[in-house]
Amino acid sequence: MIFTSGTTDAINLVMHGYGRRFIGAGDEIILTTLEHHSNIVPWQMLAEEKGATLRVVPVNDAGELLIDEYQKLFNERTKFVGVMHVSNALGTVNPVREMIKFAHAREVPVLVDGAQAAPHMKVDVQDLDCDFYAFSGHKMCGPTGIGVLYGRTPILERMQPFKGGGDMILSVTFEKTTYNAIPYKFEAGTPPIAAAIGLGAAVDYLSAIGMDAIAAHELDLLDYATGQMNRLPGVRIIAPPKRKRPCCRLRSRASIRTTSARCSTRKAWRCAPGTIARSR
């Protein structure tokens, strides 16, 4: 688990650290029509630099990804997939677990933009089996300027650092620099200790409320808002939302807890390997 300044920073870290090293001319990157521009622009920049191509998964009139079309986009040139867990515009909950499974069967890594999912549902990155998962603190009632990138250790070890300096190094000479162990390898400069503590407090706050209670309340709000909109003359809701719990809502295996044990050295808190937080 790597601390970043937010989801945008986390995605850019993956683009620079993984994309610039392993994606080249003629390679293809799969994105979806639902993506936030933070999960579009970095890959456009990479494609322009490397001569790669972006392929885009279309949606139907209900704002749902056409999974058959997603599968058809894969070929021997497919090198990466970026997909948001929940759409920030439509609220669509994408079947990311199934999408990841299909990509992994073809040895293609997947980054999941979890900015909208983390505050509203429980997320287990090990169950999803994603290679990367990113989210922001301010989306979870925490401070701005803090976020998290989860990454699988084998793939992180192959990546090059995005930024240099500070505790991301073990030793420096003018001839050679030896990088620190993961996650410090990707955390250049002074860590955001105060923001990390604030994010931990936000996670505790959401945990106390309970993610199931939050999800139920949001569904009630959705029902109420939909009903009120339907009463307005001349208004017709296209693809009305379905009242059902997201199929991707998963349980995790550990929790993030606030602690000051490591504040004097590197980090205010961390969670168990392979886990983001119980409260999402």
Side-chain angles (χ1 to χ4, degrees), residues 155-167:
I155 199 167
L156 290 175
E157 288 177 340
R158 298 167 56 204
M159 288 168 53
Q160 60 189 11
F162 176 24
K163 303 173 183 177
D167 282 349

Side-chain angles (χ1 to χ4, degrees), residues 23-272:
I23 296 175
D27 291 339
E28 296 182 357
I29 302 164
I30 295 177
L31 304 175
T32 81
T33 306
L34 297 176
E35 299 310 306
H36 186 277
H37 57 253
S38 293
N39 201 27
I40 299 174
V41 177
W43 304 111
Q44 286 180 331
M45 296 168 66
L46 179 69
E48 183 177 355
E49 175 187 340
K50 297 291 187 177
T53 302
L54 300 184
R55 307 293 301 277
V56 182
V57 185
V59 297
N60 60 22
D61 290 341
E64 300 167 334
L65 294 178
L66 298 176
I67 300 303
D68 289 346
E69 297 300 319
Y70 165 73
Q71 295 175 353
K72 291 177 183 178
L73 292 178
F74 281 80
N75 56 60
E76 68 279 0
R77 297 183 299 276
T78 305
K79 300 299 180 183
F80 198 83
V81 173
V83 57
M84 59 168 42
H85 200 159
V86 176
S87 168
N88 67 312
L90 302 178
T92 305
V93 181
N94 292 320
V96 292
R97 190 173 185 273
E98 291 74 14
M99 296 174 73
I100 293 167
K101 183 178 180 180
F102 186 88
H104 282 180
R106 289 145 185 84
E107 299 183 346
V108 176
V110 180
L111 177 147
V112 179
D113 174 352
Q116 306 301 325
H120 304 288
M121 63 178 69
K122 297 175 182 177
V123 177
D124 185 335
V125 293
Q126 291 179 329
D127 190 87
L128 290 176
D129 197 30
C130 56
D131 300 281
F132 304 101
Y133 197 97
F135 67 92
S136 299
H138 70 277
K139 300 285 187 179
M140 303 181 68
C141 307
T144 58
I146 185 72
V148 168
L149 173 67
Y150 159 79
R152 296 173 61 188
T153 298
I155 199 167
L156 290 175
E157 288 177 340
R158 298 167 56 204
M159 288 168 53
Q160 60 189 11
F162 176 24
K163 303 173 183 177
D167 282 349
M168 57 79 66
I169 54 92
L170 286 177
S171 65
V172 177
T173 68
F174 283 104
E175 290 73 32
K176 181 177 177 59
T177 295
T178 302
Y179 301 132
N180 207 339
I182 296 167
Y184 311 109
K185 172 183 174 182
F186 299 100
E187 296 177 338
T190 303
I193 296 172
I197 293 173
L199 176 55
V203 171
D204 286 347
Y205 171 73
L206 294 178
S207 298
I209 297 174
M211 296 309 293
D212 288 337
I214 291 173
H217 181 63
E218 290 176 346
L219 288 173
D220 289 340
L221 287 176
L222 177 64
D223 282 349
Y224 174 78
T226 303
Q228 294 300 309
M229 290 293 291
N230 280 327
R231 295 173 59 185
L232 295 175
V235 173
R236 179 171 64 93
I237 296 179
I238 299 174
K242 302 173 183 177
R243 181 179 171 85
K244 64 179 181 179
R245 296 192 178 277
C247 60
C248 295
R249 184 173 57 83
L250 304 167
R251 297 179 179 178
S252 66
R253 299 168 184 169
S255 303
I256 295 177
R257 294 183 175 87
T258 54
T259 176
S260 60
R262 299 183 64 190
C263 287
S264 60
T265 55
R266 268 308 266 141
K267 291 291 166 285
W269 52 265
R270 283 200 188 280
C271 62

